[in-house]
Amino acid sequence: MPVSNAAPSGAPPSRRAQIAAGLGDSLGVGLGIFPLGIALGVLVIQAGLPWWVSPALAIGVFAGSVELLLVGMIAAATPLVTIAVTVLAVNFRHVFYALSFPVSRVTRGLPRAYSIYAMVDEAYATYVLMPPEKLTSARMVTGQLAMQAYWVFGGLVGVWLAAALPAPIEGFEFALVALFIVMTLDALRSRREIPSAVLAGLAVTIALFAFPEQALLAALLIFVGGLAVRYAATTGAARA
Protein backbone atom coordinates (compact mmCIF):
# COMPACT_ATOMS: atom_id res chain seq x y z
CA MET A 1 0.00 0.00 0.00
CA PRO A 2 1.59 3.34 -1.07
CA VAL A 3 2.46 5.83 1.70
CA SER A 4 1.86 9.57 1.10
CA ASN A 5 4.17 12.25 2.64
CA ALA A 6 1.61 14.99 2.08
CA ALA A 7 0.04 16.55 5.16
CA PRO A 8 -3.63 15.68 5.69
CA SER A 9 -6.04 18.29 4.40
CA GLY A 10 -6.45 21.09 7.00
CA ALA A 11 -3.37 20.00 9.00
CA PRO A 12 -0.56 22.56 9.50
CA PRO A 13 2.42 22.04 7.18
CA SER A 14 5.42 20.26 8.58
CA ARG A 15 8.48 22.31 9.62
CA ARG A 16 10.36 20.88 6.65
CA ALA A 17 7.62 22.04 4.30
CA GLN A 18 7.65 25.51 5.89
CA ILE A 19 11.43 25.82 5.42
CA ALA A 20 11.11 24.67 1.80
CA ALA A 21 8.38 27.24 1.24
CA GLY A 22 10.59 29.97 2.72
CA LEU A 23 13.44 29.03 0.40
CA GLY A 24 11.00 29.11 -2.52
CA ASP A 25 9.80 32.57 -1.48
CA SER A 26 13.36 33.88 -1.61
CA LEU A 27 14.30 32.58 -5.06
CA GLY A 28 12.51 35.26 -7.08
CA VAL A 29 13.97 38.21 -5.18
CA GLY A 30 17.28 36.38 -4.91
CA LEU A 31 17.75 36.80 -8.66
CA GLY A 32 17.92 40.53 -8.01
CA ILE A 33 19.78 40.47 -4.69
CA PHE A 34 22.67 38.21 -5.75
CA PRO A 35 23.95 40.52 -8.56
CA LEU A 36 23.75 43.48 -6.18
CA GLY A 37 25.83 41.49 -3.71
CA ILE A 38 28.41 40.93 -6.46
CA ALA A 39 28.45 44.69 -7.11
CA LEU A 40 29.00 45.27 -3.39
CA GLY A 41 32.00 42.93 -3.30
CA VAL A 42 33.58 44.48 -6.38
CA LEU A 43 33.05 48.00 -5.03
CA VAL A 44 34.66 47.09 -1.70
CA ILE A 45 37.85 45.87 -3.41
CA GLN A 46 37.96 48.73 -5.92
CA ALA A 47 37.54 51.24 -3.09
CA GLY A 48 40.69 49.84 -1.48
CA LEU A 49 38.87 48.39 1.54
CA PRO A 50 39.62 44.96 3.10
CA TRP A 51 37.65 42.04 1.59
CA TRP A 52 35.88 41.33 4.89
CA VAL A 53 34.06 44.66 4.70
CA SER A 54 31.70 43.11 2.15
CA PRO A 55 30.38 40.25 4.34
CA ALA A 56 30.53 42.55 7.39
CA LEU A 57 28.18 45.04 5.70
CA ALA A 58 25.89 42.27 4.43
CA ILE A 59 25.65 40.69 7.90
CA GLY A 60 25.90 43.71 10.19
CA VAL A 61 24.02 46.31 8.16
CA PHE A 62 21.85 44.34 5.68
CA ALA A 63 20.03 47.34 4.30
CA GLY A 64 20.21 46.93 0.53
CA SER A 65 21.30 50.07 -1.27
CA VAL A 66 22.71 51.58 1.94
CA GLU A 67 25.42 48.90 1.90
CA LEU A 68 26.57 50.15 -1.51
CA LEU A 69 26.32 53.74 -0.34
CA LEU A 70 28.39 53.02 2.77
CA VAL A 71 31.32 51.67 0.73
CA GLY A 72 32.03 55.09 -0.76
CA MET A 73 31.38 56.88 2.52
CA ILE A 74 33.74 54.57 4.47
CA ALA A 75 36.43 54.89 1.80
CA ALA A 76 36.11 58.68 1.91
CA ALA A 77 36.27 58.72 5.74
CA THR A 78 32.93 60.50 5.88
CA PRO A 79 32.05 61.88 9.34
CA LEU A 80 29.88 59.57 11.44
CA VAL A 81 27.17 62.21 11.81
CA THR A 82 26.81 62.45 8.03
CA ILE A 83 26.74 58.65 7.72
CA ALA A 84 24.11 58.34 10.46
CA VAL A 85 21.82 61.02 9.01
CA THR A 86 22.19 59.64 5.48
CA VAL A 87 21.35 56.09 6.56
CA LEU A 88 18.37 57.39 8.57
CA ALA A 89 17.05 59.35 5.59
CA VAL A 90 17.51 56.51 3.08
CA ASN A 91 16.01 53.84 5.36
CA PHE A 92 13.35 55.92 7.08
CA ARG A 93 10.68 54.06 5.09
CA HIS A 94 11.38 50.98 7.22
CA VAL A 95 9.67 52.71 10.15
CA PHE A 96 6.40 52.45 8.24
CA TYR A 97 7.07 48.87 7.14
CA ALA A 98 6.71 47.79 10.76
CA LEU A 99 3.11 49.00 10.83
CA SER A 100 1.93 46.42 8.27
CA PHE A 101 4.61 43.71 8.18
CA PRO A 102 3.11 40.46 9.59
CA VAL A 103 5.77 40.08 12.27
CA SER A 104 3.12 38.79 14.69
CA ARG A 105 3.23 35.50 12.75
CA VAL A 106 6.85 34.99 13.82
CA THR A 107 7.68 33.23 17.09
CA ARG A 108 8.62 35.58 19.93
CA GLY A 109 12.26 35.85 20.95
CA LEU A 110 15.22 35.45 18.62
CA PRO A 111 13.16 34.55 15.49
CA ARG A 112 11.02 37.68 15.84
CA ALA A 113 14.03 39.87 16.64
CA TYR A 114 15.77 38.61 13.50
CA SER A 115 12.63 39.05 11.39
CA ILE A 116 12.43 42.70 12.46
CA TYR A 117 16.15 43.20 11.77
CA ALA A 118 15.87 41.57 8.32
CA MET A 119 12.76 43.55 7.28
CA VAL A 120 14.28 44.67 3.97
CA ASP A 121 12.30 45.81 0.94
CA GLU A 122 12.30 42.34 -0.63
CA ALA A 123 11.05 40.63 2.55
CA TYR A 124 8.34 43.24 2.98
CA ALA A 125 7.17 42.88 -0.62
CA THR A 126 7.17 39.08 -0.33
CA TYR A 127 5.24 38.63 2.90
CA VAL A 128 3.03 41.67 3.39
CA LEU A 129 0.62 40.59 0.63
CA MET A 130 0.77 36.85 1.32
CA PRO A 131 -2.47 35.34 2.73
CA PRO A 132 -2.19 35.06 6.54
CA GLU A 133 -2.98 31.35 6.50
CA LYS A 134 0.22 30.74 4.50
CA LEU A 135 2.46 32.70 6.86
CA THR A 136 4.39 30.72 9.45
CA SER A 137 7.37 31.62 11.59
CA ALA A 138 9.68 29.04 10.02
CA ARG A 139 8.69 30.09 6.50
CA MET A 140 9.24 33.81 7.03
CA VAL A 141 12.50 33.48 8.95
CA THR A 142 13.87 30.98 6.42
CA GLY A 143 12.97 33.32 3.56
CA GLN A 144 14.63 36.29 5.25
CA LEU A 145 17.75 34.26 6.12
CA ALA A 146 18.02 33.16 2.50
CA MET A 147 17.66 36.76 1.28
CA GLN A 148 20.53 37.83 3.53
CA ALA A 149 22.59 34.84 2.38
CA TYR A 150 22.24 36.02 -1.24
CA TRP A 151 23.82 39.35 -0.21
CA VAL A 152 26.65 37.66 1.73
CA PHE A 153 27.59 35.09 -0.92
CA GLY A 154 27.05 37.54 -3.77
CA GLY A 155 29.48 39.88 -2.03
CA LEU A 156 32.06 37.12 -1.64
CA VAL A 157 31.74 36.28 -5.34
CA GLY A 158 32.23 39.98 -6.10
CA VAL A 159 35.35 40.08 -3.93
CA TRP A 160 36.73 37.06 -5.77
CA LEU A 161 35.91 38.58 -9.17
CA ALA A 162 37.51 41.91 -8.29
CA ALA A 163 40.66 40.16 -7.05
CA ALA A 164 40.83 38.09 -10.24
CA LEU A 165 40.50 41.07 -12.57
CA PRO A 166 43.80 42.38 -13.94
CA ALA A 167 42.64 46.00 -13.51
CA PRO A 168 39.73 47.83 -11.85
CA ILE A 169 36.55 48.30 -13.90
CA GLU A 170 36.35 51.99 -14.68
CA GLY A 171 32.95 53.44 -13.84
CA PHE A 172 31.80 50.44 -11.78
CA GLU A 173 31.16 52.77 -8.85
CA PHE A 174 28.31 54.14 -10.98
CA ALA A 175 26.34 50.91 -10.29
CA LEU A 176 24.47 52.42 -7.32
CA VAL A 177 23.67 55.60 -9.23
CA ALA A 178 22.41 53.51 -12.16
CA LEU A 179 20.21 51.49 -9.79
CA PHE A 180 18.59 54.65 -8.40
CA ILE A 181 18.12 56.08 -11.91
CA VAL A 182 16.22 52.94 -12.92
CA MET A 183 14.07 53.18 -9.77
CA THR A 184 13.42 56.87 -10.49
CA LEU A 185 12.37 56.14 -14.07
CA ASP A 186 9.98 53.44 -12.83
CA ALA A 187 8.46 55.93 -10.38
CA LEU A 188 8.10 58.59 -13.08
CA ARG A 189 6.07 56.24 -15.27
CA SER A 190 3.16 56.68 -12.89
CA ARG A 191 3.35 60.51 -13.32
CA ARG A 192 2.09 60.78 -9.74
CA GLU A 193 5.68 60.95 -8.52
CA ILE A 194 6.87 63.62 -10.95
CA PRO A 195 6.61 66.34 -8.21
CA SER A 196 8.87 64.21 -6.00
CA ALA A 197 11.46 63.97 -8.77
CA VAL A 198 11.30 67.75 -9.28
CA LEU A 199 11.75 68.30 -5.53
CA ALA A 200 14.76 65.95 -5.54
CA GLY A 201 16.34 67.87 -8.41
CA LEU A 202 15.80 71.19 -6.65
CA ALA A 203 17.19 69.83 -3.39
CA VAL A 204 20.39 68.62 -5.08
CA THR A 205 20.83 71.90 -6.96
CA ILE A 206 20.39 74.02 -3.83
CA ALA A 207 22.71 71.78 -1.80
CA LEU A 208 25.47 71.84 -4.42
CA PHE A 209 25.50 75.65 -4.53
CA ALA A 210 24.72 76.47 -0.88
CA PHE A 211 26.47 73.60 0.95
CA PRO A 212 29.14 72.20 -1.38
CA GLU A 213 31.10 70.60 1.49
CA GLN A 214 28.07 68.67 2.81
CA ALA A 215 25.99 68.43 -0.36
CA LEU A 216 24.62 64.90 0.21
CA LEU A 217 23.47 65.54 3.77
CA ALA A 218 22.03 68.96 2.87
CA ALA A 219 20.21 67.58 -0.19
CA LEU A 220 18.61 64.82 1.88
CA LEU A 221 17.42 67.24 4.55
CA ILE A 222 16.08 69.73 1.98
CA PHE A 223 14.32 66.91 0.12
CA VAL A 224 12.69 65.59 3.31
CA GLY A 225 11.52 69.13 4.11
CA GLY A 226 10.12 69.49 0.60
CA LEU A 227 8.25 66.19 0.88
CA ALA A 228 6.76 67.32 4.21
CA VAL A 229 5.54 70.56 2.62
CA ARG A 230 4.11 68.64 -0.32
CA TYR A 231 2.29 66.23 1.98
CA ALA A 232 0.82 69.10 4.00
CA ALA A 233 -0.27 70.91 0.83
CA THR A 234 -1.91 67.87 -0.78
CA THR A 235 -3.60 66.85 2.48
CA GLY A 236 -4.95 70.37 2.97
CA ALA A 237 -6.23 70.50 -0.62
CA ALA A 238 -7.99 67.15 -0.18
CA ARG A 239 -9.76 68.35 2.97
CA ALA A 240 -10.83 71.67 1.41
Side-chain angles (χ1 to χ4, degrees):
M1 180 179 177
V3 178
S4 174
N5 292 326
S9 178
S14 66
R15 186 174 181 81
R16 186 173 182 179
Q18 294 175 42
I19 292 174
L23 291 174
D25 296 338
S26 71
L27 288 178
V29 295
L31 294 175
I33 294 175
F34 193 76
L36 288 174
I38 293 176
L40 173 66
V42 173
L43 280 176
V44 164
I45 298 302
Q46 292 198 171
L49 298 173
W51 69 269
W52 50 263
V53 171
S54 176
L57 286 174
I59 295 173
V61 179
F62 190 35
S65 56
V66 167
E67 296 173 45
L68 296 168
L69 189 62
L70 281 176
V71 172
M73 301 181 82
I74 293 173
T78 304
L80 285 177
V81 174
T82 302
I83 292 177
V85 174
T86 302
V87 171
L88 175 64
V90 174
N91 277 354
F92 193 69
R93 65 190 184 282
H94 289 190
V95 173
F96 302 100
Y97 284 1
L99 301 177
S100 53
F101 190 74
V103 73
S104 61
R105 306 291 297 182
V106 181
T107 305
R108 292 178 183 271
L110 186 59
R112 182 173 293 186
Y114 175 76
S115 184
I116 294 172
Y117 166 71
M119 198 186 301
V120 294
D121 298 339
E122 293 82 2
Y124 181 84
T126 300
Y127 293 117
V128 76
L129 296 177
M130 189 173 286
E133 64 272 14
K134 293 185 177 180
L135 294 172
T136 64
S137 180
R139 178 173 187 166
M140 292 176 63
V141 172
T142 300
Q144 290 177 280
L145 278 169
M147 292 174 199
Q148 186 166 17
Y150 296 138
W151 265 108
V152 175
F153 289 109
L156 292 175
V157 171
V159 167
W160 175 77
L161 281 175
L165 290 173
I169 302 175
E170 295 294 335
F172 198 81
E173 63 276 10
F174 194 71
L176 179 60
V177 180
L179 171 64
F180 281 120
I181 289 175
V182 171
M183 294 171 67
T184 302
L185 292 176
D186 282 343
L188 290 178
R189 287 179 181 175
S190 68
R191 295 182 180 272
R192 189 168 61 90
E193 294 303 327
I194 289 179
S196 296
V198 173
L199 283 174
L202 288 174
V204 171
T205 303
I206 294 171
L208 287 174
F209 282 100
F211 309 97
E213 299 298 327
Q214 298 290 338
L216 178 60
L217 176 59
L220 286 170
L221 293 176
I222 295 171
F223 181 56
V224 171
L227 288 178
V229 172
R230 181 193 173 199
Y231 174 78
T234 53
T235 303
R239 291 176 178 174

